[in-house]
Amino acid sequence: MTAPSADWWEGPAWSPRRARWFLIAAHLPFMLTSPIYAITGLDGPPARHPAVPLLAGLAIGALQLRHSFAAVRRERPRGWRWTFLLLIVLVYLPMPWFTGNWIDMQLFVVVSAIMLLRRPLAVAVAVLSPLGTLVGLALTAPAEYTDVGVVAVAAWAVFWLSAGFTIGVVATYGSVWLVRIVDELRATRTELAEVAIGRERLRVSRDLHDLLGQSLSAVSLKGDLALRLLSKDTPAARAQIENLTLVARDALAGMRAVTRNEHSVSLEEETRGVTALLGAAGIDVRLDVRLPGLAPAVQDVLAWAVREGVTNVLRHSDARICTITASRRGGTVRLEIVNDGVREPKGGGSGLAGLAERARALSGSVSADGAKGRFRMLVEIPEEPA
């Protein structure tokens, strides 16, 4: 026999509809106990018309279920004052005729009071209702209660309040609480799933932007270069077209890897690739990135930073010089990319926003500023991120 799954509540048995049927089933025994007592006369004279206690019990149960279903949603039903008043009437009006057979019906008054009334008033109803009924029965039927002695009556009252009445209140209200918790847990799991989907969409969007931004810039650059060389140096133009094809294939492979969350970048490969790419664009590259022993997560963010920074150089500048330097300082790794020939201000693009998000995940930061045709991007990350 296999053990139940940890997600047992998530199965068909705890679907919203079946959870409501569970709530009805939890109320049903207490709805029928007093009518059965009244019909059979187990705790007093039997009712003259058996249908009367049965119909009254079903009406009381229906009113209680209306309150209970609303309590599951943490609200009070429309017209709750009238339904609560009607419930009180149906519970207490037949009591002189049904006597002790009917007293257990008070648990629905107490349960509804807990669900509908403010706490002080609900506590008062929960305490005074059963005690008042005991006193009333003792006064209206003295022969039945005094002949057996005060001690016996007191013992019976304690037993009824603790073993029967209190258990009934706990069981009915507890079933409401359980269904409410199941509903809230299901809603929370749905919300968490939506959040996870949203995060995955953002990750794919960010990675595709960072990946394809440089790749498409490289394709455009090599295509333009091939066109210029085509009439002057056919072998060189062919080489550029071949390189363009390789870049496109790499971009396609990277895009597939991103969708499977398998894409990874290397700082060494990125610096080597951007050196060739910037050189092909006629930009003088001054590179100083020697950081051995970096944590993989830190190296990954720096590699994305190099890719994003060089993409901005190619797309938003007529740079002649691009400097990429990395260093360690006080337990922090710093990567700085500086270029000239800026055509338009930058700093609010989605690429930098995605890079800043990557850095924040490692307790780092990204800053960018441009002035007088010069643009500088700085990435700072703790060498041992939390």
Side-chain angles (χ1 to χ4, degrees):
M1 182 177 180
T2 59
S5 169
D7 293 336
W8 56 270
W9 58 270
E10 199 179 53
W14 281 98
S15 63
R17 175 180 292 183
R18 294 191 180 184
R20 270 51 181 183
W21 280 112
F22 164 78
L23 193 61
I24 294 173
H27 285 59
L28 192 60
F30 303 100
M31 293 163 48
L32 298 178
T33 298
S34 290
I36 293 174
Y37 273 42
I39 292 171
T40 59
L42 291 178
D43 196 10
R48 293 182 181 181
H49 303 286
V52 174
L54 182 60
L55 292 176
L58 292 177
I60 291 171
L63 291 171
Q64 178 58 55
L65 285 171
R66 176 179 171 81
H67 300 160
S68 296
F69 286 143
V72 169
R73 302 188 299 271
R74 294 185 179 273
E75 61 186 31
R76 293 184 289 195
R78 180 179 300 177
W80 64 271
R81 292 180 177 84
W82 296 107
T83 56
F84 184 50
L85 180 61
L86 181 58
L87 178 66
I88 293 174
V89 171
L90 291 174
V91 168
Y92 288 104
L93 184 63
M95 200 166 288
W97 292 277
F98 298 156
T99 63
N101 296 314
W102 201 249
I103 60 175
D104 287 341
M105 274 300 188
Q106 290 178 102
L107 69 91
F108 292 120
V109 175
V110 174
V111 172
S112 288
I114 295 173
M115 295 176 180
L116 301 174
L117 304 180
R118 296 185 182 276
R119 183 172 297 176
L121 188 56
V123 171
V125 172
V127 173
L128 296 178
S129 294
L131 292 180
T133 301
L134 289 175
V135 173
L137 288 175
L139 294 176
T140 57
E144 180 181 352
Y145 288 94
T146 57
D147 290 348
V148 297
V150 176
V151 176
V153 173
W156 176 84
V158 171
F159 172 78
W160 175 71
L161 285 172
S162 60
F165 188 81
T166 304
I167 292 176
V169 172
V170 172
T172 50
Y173 187 76
S175 64
V176 172
W177 178 84
L178 179 61
V179 174
R180 178 192 297 170
I181 292 299
V182 169
D183 283 358
E184 291 178 352
L185 191 57
R186 187 182 296 276
T188 300
R189 288 180 65 93
T190 301
E191 183 178 352
L192 289 175
E194 291 174 352
V195 170
I197 292 172
R199 287 180 176 175
E200 182 63 10
R201 286 174 176 170
L202 287 175
R203 182 196 66 80
V204 172
S205 174
R206 180 192 64 198
D207 288 359
L208 285 178
H209 176 278
D210 294 347
L211 173 71
L212 296 181
Q214 187 186 79
S215 298
L216 294 179
S217 297
V219 168
S220 175
L221 173 65
K222 291 181 178 295
D224 291 340
L225 185 57
L227 288 175
R228 289 197 301 268
L229 292 173
L230 194 59
S231 59
K232 302 177 182 179
D233 191 344
T234 302
R238 180 186 296 274
Q240 291 298 329
I241 294 173
E242 291 175 352
N243 288 335
L244 186 152
T245 304
L246 292 175
V247 171
R249 288 175 179 171
D250 289 342
L252 179 60
M255 184 176 65
R256 290 172 176 171
V258 164
T259 58
R260 297 191 298 267
N261 199 18
E262 297 174 353
H263 184 72
S264 61
V265 292
S266 165
L267 179 60
E268 182 180 354
E269 292 178 1
E270 285 299 322
T271 53
R272 185 167 55 246
V274 299
T275 299
L277 185 60
L278 292 174
I283 300 173
D284 182 16
V285 184
R286 299 175 183 179
L287 189 67
D288 184 11
V289 182
R290 290 187 297 273
L291 296 174
L294 283 179
V298 176
Q299 184 175 172
D300 185 71
V301 173
L302 295 182
W304 282 114
V306 170
R307 177 180 286 264
E308 174 62 22
V310 171
T311 299
N312 282 338
V313 172
L314 294 174
R315 295 175 61 184
H316 302 292
S317 76
D318 296 318
R320 293 168 297 174
I321 301 173
C322 179
T323 302
I324 305 175
T325 58
S327 62
R328 286 183 169 96
R329 183 181 302 176
T332 300
V333 178
R334 295 163 51 91
L335 176 72
E336 186 179 48
I337 301 177
V338 180
N339 66 279
D340 59 1
V342 177
R343 293 194 303 265
E344 57 184 81
K346 303 181 289 296
S350 59
L352 288 178
L355 180 60
E357 182 181 343
R358 295 180 192 273
R360 279 195 301 269
L362 300 182
S363 303
S365 63
V366 175
S367 60
D369 60 83
K372 298 181 180 180
R374 175 181 174 274
F375 183 76
R376 172 178 176 267
M377 184 182 77
L378 177 64
V379 180
E380 295 181 299
I381 302 174
E383 192 168 353
E384 296 183 359

